[in-house]
Amino acid sequence: MINDIAKELGVSKTTISRAISGNGRVSEKTRKRILKYTAEIGYIPNAAARNLATTKAKNIAFSMPLNRDSIRSDYFLECLFGVNKKAIEASYDVLILGDEIDTISRVINSRKADGMVLTRNIGDTALEKLALSGIPIVLTGSTSVPNIIQVSYDAKAAFSDLTLRLMDMWEGDFGLIVTRKEFPANQTRVSGFSHAITKKNRTTFIEYNAVTEDDVYRAFHRMNNNGIRNIICGDDAVCLNLLNIIKGGGRFESKFDPGKTGHDNINIASFHSSHYLETFHPEIPVVQLDPEKLGDIACKMLLLSINGYETPVTTLLDYIIRF
């Protein structure tokens, strides 16, 4: 019934629940319209269901890709640190789970969490399904799906900005190596990169599906054969694999050029930074973010939404181009 009411009035199920229960922020005009309509159709909410809906689990779900590369990523762990710190201040616990839609849906449907922070856009279809749950969702990224709060930075502008600056420094054509093509984040990286390349009228060479070190090796091999000497990596994991492959030295021997010190004429940059990349000298040009601050603000927005306060649909943070 509540789904039908929401559809008829053009509002969310959460708004319907808040208007009927009297808890949470709803404009007086909207509240009166909802109460008038429910009275007209004779809708009487089930008391037990209302009690269940207003009982808080005091848990926040934190969703991230649970694979070996992600676990080692500064980005996800620092974001988690920021979320956890803010959650503790509000006497909430954090549930860590993967980013598979079945796992997320199970946690939401069982009401084990009062809200969720998603660290990766899992696709519009999946996000639309989650938005219908009525549970507040905050995405540390961007989406066009309504009822999803977004905390991020202007990724396309950042990646375009880095590429444009590098083209002023490095001569020749540019290549980009990213992981899965279907990931919305990678699509944004490619868009920002391509925008800059088009603006400067340079030739571009893009390699997808560079997930493992061997994948990165093959991608670099093809770029090198095509005369590409300027390579931007989609993230810090791809960049680390590339550095280990072509630089050699230390405990890493150059796979591409065994027995030699590597290819000093290759310029490398990354669309994301990490503590690992900071150990390389000279420093790798990167887009530097603050994942802990991102997690902190994402959790703050989520807690406000859980407690019935209106929040901005989109919050954009600053980024730094570091050379």
PDB file of all heavy atoms in Angstrom, residues 82-108:
ATOM      1  N   GLY A  82      37.785   7.062   8.197  1.00  0.00           N
ATOM      2  CA  GLY A  82      36.993   8.273   8.369  1.00  0.00           C
ATOM      3  C   GLY A  82      35.556   7.973   8.748  1.00  0.00           C
ATOM      4  O   GLY A  82      34.975   8.636   9.623  1.00  0.00           O
ATOM      5  N   VAL A  83      34.956   6.958   8.106  1.00  0.00           N
ATOM      6  CA  VAL A  83      33.580   6.555   8.427  1.00  0.00           C
ATOM      7  C   VAL A  83      33.500   6.049   9.856  1.00  0.00           C
ATOM      8  O   VAL A  83      32.604   6.424  10.627  1.00  0.00           O
ATOM      9  CB  VAL A  83      33.089   5.468   7.446  1.00  0.00           C
ATOM     10  CG1 VAL A  83      31.785   4.844   7.943  1.00  0.00           C
ATOM     11  CG2 VAL A  83      32.893   6.054   6.055  1.00  0.00           C
ATOM     12  N   ASN A  84      34.442   5.190  10.231  1.00  0.00           N
ATOM     13  CA  ASN A  84      34.412   4.575  11.565  1.00  0.00           C
ATOM     14  C   ASN A  84      34.578   5.617  12.659  1.00  0.00           C
ATOM     15  O   ASN A  84      33.900   5.567  13.693  1.00  0.00           O
ATOM     16  CB  ASN A  84      35.508   3.518  11.665  1.00  0.00           C
ATOM     17  CG  ASN A  84      35.400   2.692  12.931  1.00  0.00           C
ATOM     18  OD1 ASN A  84      34.390   2.034  13.165  1.00  0.00           O
ATOM     19  ND2 ASN A  84      36.428   2.722  13.755  1.00  0.00           N
ATOM     20  N   LYS A  85      35.466   6.585  12.438  1.00  0.00           N
ATOM     21  CA  LYS A  85      35.691   7.625  13.440  1.00  0.00           C
ATOM     22  C   LYS A  85      34.422   8.431  13.689  1.00  0.00           C
ATOM     23  O   LYS A  85      34.042   8.697  14.843  1.00  0.00           O
ATOM     24  CB  LYS A  85      36.825   8.540  12.977  1.00  0.00           C
ATOM     25  CG  LYS A  85      37.217   9.606  14.001  1.00  0.00           C
ATOM     26  CD  LYS A  85      38.477  10.336  13.574  1.00  0.00           C
ATOM     27  CE  LYS A  85      38.249  11.156  12.326  1.00  0.00           C
ATOM     28  NZ  LYS A  85      39.427  12.019  11.988  1.00  0.00           N
ATOM     29  N   LYS A  86      33.739   8.800  12.612  1.00  0.00           N
ATOM     30  CA  LYS A  86      32.508   9.572  12.750  1.00  0.00           C
ATOM     31  C   LYS A  86      31.384   8.729  13.351  1.00  0.00           C
ATOM     32  O   LYS A  86      30.580   9.216  14.150  1.00  0.00           O
ATOM     33  CB  LYS A  86      32.085  10.123  11.382  1.00  0.00           C
ATOM     34  CG  LYS A  86      30.868  11.022  11.406  1.00  0.00           C
ATOM     35  CD  LYS A  86      31.104  12.278  12.243  1.00  0.00           C
ATOM     36  CE  LYS A  86      32.124  13.185  11.620  1.00  0.00           C
ATOM     37  NZ  LYS A  86      32.274  14.477  12.340  1.00  0.00           N
ATOM     38  N   ALA A  87      31.353   7.436  12.989  1.00  0.00           N
ATOM     39  CA  ALA A  87      30.321   6.535  13.517  1.00  0.00           C
ATOM     40  C   ALA A  87      30.477   6.353  15.026  1.00  0.00           C
ATOM     41  O   ALA A  87      29.484   6.343  15.771  1.00  0.00           O
ATOM     42  CB  ALA A  87      30.401   5.185  12.815  1.00  0.00           C
ATOM     43  N   ILE A  88      31.711   6.201  15.478  1.00  0.00           N
ATOM     44  CA  ILE A  88      31.970   6.039  16.914  1.00  0.00           C
ATOM     45  C   ILE A  88      31.471   7.252  17.692  1.00  0.00           C
ATOM     46  O   ILE A  88      30.884   7.125  18.769  1.00  0.00           O
ATOM     47  CB  ILE A  88      33.477   5.805  17.168  1.00  0.00           C
ATOM     48  CG1 ILE A  88      33.892   4.413  16.673  1.00  0.00           C
ATOM     49  CG2 ILE A  88      33.814   5.954  18.649  1.00  0.00           C
ATOM     50  CD1 ILE A  88      35.378   4.167  16.714  1.00  0.00           C
ATOM     51  N   GLU A  89      31.701   8.440  17.137  1.00  0.00           N
ATOM     52  CA  GLU A  89      31.244   9.670  17.803  1.00  0.00           C
ATOM     53  C   GLU A  89      29.733   9.670  17.993  1.00  0.00           C
ATOM     54  O   GLU A  89      29.223  10.252  18.958  1.00  0.00           O
ATOM     55  CB  GLU A  89      31.654  10.893  16.968  1.00  0.00           C
ATOM     56  CG  GLU A  89      33.153  11.146  16.927  1.00  0.00           C
ATOM     57  CD  GLU A  89      33.520  12.297  16.004  1.00  0.00           C
ATOM     58  OE1 GLU A  89      32.585  12.907  15.437  1.00  0.00           O
ATOM     59  OE2 GLU A  89      34.721  12.578  15.847  1.00  0.00           O
ATOM     60  N   ALA A  90      29.021   9.001  17.075  1.00  0.00           N
ATOM     61  CA  ALA A  90      27.558   8.956  17.138  1.00  0.00           C
ATOM     62  C   ALA A  90      27.048   7.664  17.789  1.00  0.00           C
ATOM     63  O   ALA A  90      25.851   7.379  17.736  1.00  0.00           O
ATOM     64  CB  ALA A  90      26.984   9.088  15.729  1.00  0.00           C
ATOM     65  N   SER A  91      27.958   6.893  18.401  1.00  0.00           N
ATOM     66  CA  SER A  91      27.605   5.625  19.062  1.00  0.00           C
ATOM     67  C   SER A  91      27.026   4.607  18.077  1.00  0.00           C
ATOM     68  O   SER A  91      26.096   3.870  18.397  1.00  0.00           O
ATOM     69  CB  SER A  91      26.627   5.863  20.224  1.00  0.00           C
ATOM     70  OG  SER A  91      27.197   6.714  21.198  1.00  0.00           O
ATOM     71  N   TYR A  92      27.584   4.589  16.872  1.00  0.00           N
ATOM     72  CA  TYR A  92      27.210   3.606  15.860  1.00  0.00           C
ATOM     73  C   TYR A  92      28.356   2.630  15.637  1.00  0.00           C
ATOM     74  O   TYR A  92      29.527   2.968  15.821  1.00  0.00           O
ATOM     75  CB  TYR A  92      26.885   4.293  14.527  1.00  0.00           C
ATOM     76  CG  TYR A  92      25.431   4.626  14.337  1.00  0.00           C
ATOM     77  CD1 TYR A  92      24.862   5.720  14.978  1.00  0.00           C
ATOM     78  CD2 TYR A  92      24.615   3.840  13.537  1.00  0.00           C
ATOM     79  CE1 TYR A  92      23.525   6.036  14.805  1.00  0.00           C
ATOM     80  CE2 TYR A  92      23.274   4.139  13.360  1.00  0.00           C
ATOM     81  CZ  TYR A  92      22.736   5.240  13.991  1.00  0.00           C
ATOM     82  OH  TYR A  92      21.408   5.542  13.824  1.00  0.00           O
ATOM     83  N   ASP A  93      28.014   1.412  15.225  1.00  0.00           N
ATOM     84  CA  ASP A  93      29.000   0.427  14.809  1.00  0.00           C
ATOM     85  C   ASP A  93      28.996   0.333  13.283  1.00  0.00           C
ATOM     86  O   ASP A  93      28.004   0.676  12.632  1.00  0.00           O
ATOM     87  CB  ASP A  93      28.688  -0.953  15.403  1.00  0.00           C
ATOM     88  CG  ASP A  93      28.816  -0.964  16.924  1.00  0.00           C
ATOM     89  OD1 ASP A  93      29.771  -0.340  17.433  1.00  0.00           O
ATOM     90  OD2 ASP A  93      27.969  -1.581  17.594  1.00  0.00           O
ATOM     91  N   VAL A  94      30.110  -0.125  12.717  1.00  0.00           N
ATOM     92  CA  VAL A  94      30.253  -0.231  11.262  1.00  0.00           C
ATOM     93  C   VAL A  94      30.326  -1.691  10.845  1.00  0.00           C
ATOM     94  O   VAL A  94      31.130  -2.457  11.371  1.00  0.00           O
ATOM     95  CB  VAL A  94      31.509   0.519  10.776  1.00  0.00           C
ATOM     96  CG1 VAL A  94      31.673   0.363   9.255  1.00  0.00           C
ATOM     97  CG2 VAL A  94      31.440   1.997  11.140  1.00  0.00           C
ATOM     98  N   LEU A  95      29.458  -2.072   9.906  1.00  0.00           N
ATOM     99  CA  LEU A  95      29.481  -3.408   9.316  1.00  0.00           C
ATOM    100  C   LEU A  95      30.200  -3.326   7.975  1.00  0.00           C
ATOM    101  O   LEU A  95      29.796  -2.544   7.109  1.00  0.00           O
ATOM    102  CB  LEU A  95      28.065  -3.936   9.097  1.00  0.00           C
ATOM    103  CG  LEU A  95      27.122  -3.979  10.310  1.00  0.00           C
ATOM    104  CD1 LEU A  95      25.744  -4.466   9.855  1.00  0.00           C
ATOM    105  CD2 LEU A  95      27.688  -4.875  11.390  1.00  0.00           C
ATOM    106  N   ILE A  96      31.251  -4.105   7.783  1.00  0.00           N
ATOM    107  CA  ILE A  96      31.995  -4.099   6.527  1.00  0.00           C
ATOM    108  C   ILE A  96      31.498  -5.237   5.650  1.00  0.00           C
ATOM    109  O   ILE A  96      31.427  -6.391   6.083  1.00  0.00           O
ATOM    110  CB  ILE A  96      33.503  -4.264   6.777  1.00  0.00           C
ATOM    111  CG1 ILE A  96      34.014  -3.134   7.680  1.00  0.00           C
ATOM    112  CG2 ILE A  96      34.274  -4.270   5.456  1.00  0.00           C
ATOM    113  CD1 ILE A  96      35.456  -3.282   8.099  1.00  0.00           C
ATOM    114  N   LEU A  97      31.139  -4.923   4.432  1.00  0.00           N
ATOM    115  CA  LEU A  97      30.674  -5.946   3.504  1.00  0.00           C
ATOM    116  C   LEU A  97      31.158  -5.650   2.098  1.00  0.00           C
ATOM    117  O   LEU A  97      31.639  -4.550   1.808  1.00  0.00           O
ATOM    118  CB  LEU A  97      29.150  -6.059   3.521  1.00  0.00           C
ATOM    119  CG  LEU A  97      28.337  -4.800   3.217  1.00  0.00           C
ATOM    120  CD1 LEU A  97      27.028  -5.185   2.550  1.00  0.00           C
ATOM    121  CD2 LEU A  97      28.032  -4.048   4.513  1.00  0.00           C
ATOM    122  N   GLY A  98      31.053  -6.638   1.219  1.00  0.00           N
ATOM    123  CA  GLY A  98      31.470  -6.472  -0.162  1.00  0.00           C
ATOM    124  C   GLY A  98      30.498  -5.601  -0.934  1.00  0.00           C
ATOM    125  O   GLY A  98      29.535  -5.069  -0.378  1.00  0.00           O
ATOM    126  N   ASP A  99      30.745  -5.458  -2.237  1.00  0.00           N
ATOM    127  CA  ASP A  99      29.876  -4.597  -3.041  1.00  0.00           C
ATOM    128  C   ASP A  99      29.035  -5.382  -4.037  1.00  0.00           C
ATOM    129  O   ASP A  99      28.619  -4.845  -5.067  1.00  0.00           O
ATOM    130  CB  ASP A  99      30.695  -3.520  -3.757  1.00  0.00           C
ATOM    131  CG  ASP A  99      31.728  -4.106  -4.708  1.00  0.00           C
ATOM    132  OD1 ASP A  99      31.906  -5.333  -4.724  1.00  0.00           O
ATOM    133  OD2 ASP A  99      32.356  -3.321  -5.440  1.00  0.00           O
ATOM    134  N   GLU A 100      28.773  -6.655  -3.718  1.00  0.00           N
ATOM    135  CA  GLU A 100      27.861  -7.431  -4.555  1.00  0.00           C
ATOM    136  C   GLU A 100      26.428  -7.055  -4.185  1.00  0.00           C
ATOM    137  O   GLU A 100      26.085  -6.948  -3.002  1.00  0.00           O
ATOM    138  CB  GLU A 100      28.066  -8.934  -4.352  1.00  0.00           C
ATOM    139  CG  GLU A 100      29.485  -9.432  -4.620  1.00  0.00           C
ATOM    140  CD  GLU A 100      30.406  -9.232  -3.440  1.00  0.00           C
ATOM    141  OE1 GLU A 100      29.912  -8.855  -2.348  1.00  0.00           O
ATOM    142  OE2 GLU A 100      31.624  -9.439  -3.593  1.00  0.00           O
ATOM    143  N   ILE A 101      25.575  -6.877  -5.168  1.00  0.00           N
ATOM    144  CA  ILE A 101      24.212  -6.410  -4.920  1.00  0.00           C
ATOM    145  C   ILE A 101      23.434  -7.367  -4.027  1.00  0.00           C
ATOM    146  O   ILE A 101      22.635  -6.936  -3.193  1.00  0.00           O
ATOM    147  CB  ILE A 101      23.458  -6.172  -6.260  1.00  0.00           C
ATOM    148  CG1 ILE A 101      22.070  -5.585  -5.994  1.00  0.00           C
ATOM    149  CG2 ILE A 101      23.386  -7.442  -7.069  1.00  0.00           C
ATOM    150  CD1 ILE A 101      22.048  -4.267  -5.292  1.00  0.00           C
ATOM    151  N   ASP A 102      23.668  -8.684  -4.140  1.00  0.00           N
ATOM    152  CA  ASP A 102      22.954  -9.650  -3.301  1.00  0.00           C
ATOM    153  C   ASP A 102      23.333  -9.484  -1.833  1.00  0.00           C
ATOM    154  O   ASP A 102      22.470  -9.541  -0.947  1.00  0.00           O
ATOM    155  CB  ASP A 102      23.259 -11.081  -3.758  1.00  0.00           C
ATOM    156  CG  ASP A 102      22.628 -11.412  -5.100  1.00  0.00           C
ATOM    157  OD1 ASP A 102      21.704 -10.680  -5.505  1.00  0.00           O
ATOM    158  OD2 ASP A 102      23.062 -12.383  -5.744  1.00  0.00           O
ATOM    159  N   THR A 103      24.618  -9.271  -1.580  1.00  0.00           N
ATOM    160  CA  THR A 103      25.087  -9.069  -0.201  1.00  0.00           C
ATOM    161  C   THR A 103      24.506  -7.792   0.386  1.00  0.00           C
ATOM    162  O   THR A 103      24.005  -7.774   1.519  1.00  0.00           O
ATOM    163  CB  THR A 103      26.624  -8.992  -0.167  1.00  0.00           C
ATOM    164  OG1 THR A 103      27.173 -10.195  -0.684  1.00  0.00           O
ATOM    165  CG2 THR A 103      27.125  -8.774   1.255  1.00  0.00           C
ATOM    166  N   ILE A 104      24.568  -6.717  -0.393  1.00  0.00           N
ATOM    167  CA  ILE A 104      24.047  -5.432   0.070  1.00  0.00           C
ATOM    168  C   ILE A 104      22.543  -5.521   0.329  1.00  0.00           C
ATOM    169  O   ILE A 104      22.053  -5.041   1.362  1.00  0.00           O
ATOM    170  CB  ILE A 104      24.353  -4.335  -0.962  1.00  0.00           C
ATOM    171  CG1 ILE A 104      25.863  -4.114  -1.073  1.00  0.00           C
ATOM    172  CG2 ILE A 104      23.654  -3.027  -0.593  1.00  0.00           C
ATOM    173  CD1 ILE A 104      26.275  -3.190  -2.201  1.00  0.00           C
ATOM    174  N   SER A 105      21.816  -6.134  -0.591  1.00  0.00           N
ATOM    175  CA  SER A 105      20.357  -6.250  -0.452  1.00  0.00           C
ATOM    176  C   SER A 105      19.985  -7.064   0.784  1.00  0.00           C
ATOM    177  O   SER A 105      19.015  -6.743   1.477  1.00  0.00           O
ATOM    178  CB  SER A 105      19.761  -6.909  -1.703  1.00  0.00           C
ATOM    179  OG  SER A 105      19.953  -6.095  -2.836  1.00  0.00           O
ATOM    180  N   ARG A 106      20.757  -8.101   1.061  1.00  0.00           N
ATOM    181  CA  ARG A 106      20.460  -8.933   2.229  1.00  0.00           C
ATOM    182  C   ARG A 106      20.585  -8.127   3.523  1.00  0.00           C
ATOM    183  O   ARG A 106      19.746  -8.238   4.422  1.00  0.00           O
ATOM    184  CB  ARG A 106      21.405 -10.136   2.266  1.00  0.00           C
ATOM    185  CG  ARG A 106      21.097 -11.117   3.405  1.00  0.00           C
ATOM    186  CD  ARG A 106      21.924 -12.387   3.325  1.00  0.00           C
ATOM    187  NE  ARG A 106      23.344 -12.120   3.530  1.00  0.00           N
ATOM    188  CZ  ARG A 106      24.265 -12.183   2.581  1.00  0.00           C
ATOM    189  NH1 ARG A 106      23.908 -12.479   1.336  1.00  0.00           N
ATOM    190  NH2 ARG A 106      25.526 -11.939   2.843  1.00  0.00           N
ATOM    191  N   VAL A 107      21.624  -7.312   3.618  1.00  0.00           N
ATOM    192  CA  VAL A 107      21.828  -6.485   4.818  1.00  0.00           C
ATOM    193  C   VAL A 107      20.718  -5.443   4.940  1.00  0.00           C
ATOM    194  O   VAL A 107      20.178  -5.202   6.025  1.00  0.00           O
ATOM    195  CB  VAL A 107      23.211  -5.802   4.769  1.00  0.00           C
ATOM    196  CG1 VAL A 107      23.343  -4.763   5.879  1.00  0.00           C
ATOM    197  CG2 VAL A 107      24.315  -6.840   4.892  1.00  0.00           C
ATOM    198  N   ILE A 108      20.344  -4.837   3.817  1.00  0.00           N
ATOM    199  CA  ILE A 108      19.296  -3.818   3.837  1.00  0.00           C
ATOM    200  C   ILE A 108      17.944  -4.421   4.189  1.00  0.00           C
ATOM    201  O   ILE A 108      17.214  -3.906   5.043  1.00  0.00           O
ATOM    202  CB  ILE A 108      19.224  -3.097   2.479  1.00  0.00           C
ATOM    203  CG1 ILE A 108      20.410  -2.144   2.338  1.00  0.00           C
ATOM    204  CG2 ILE A 108      17.917  -2.318   2.338  1.00  0.00           C
ATOM    205  CD1 ILE A 108      20.443  -1.393   1.029  1.00  0.00           C
TER     206      ILE A 108
END
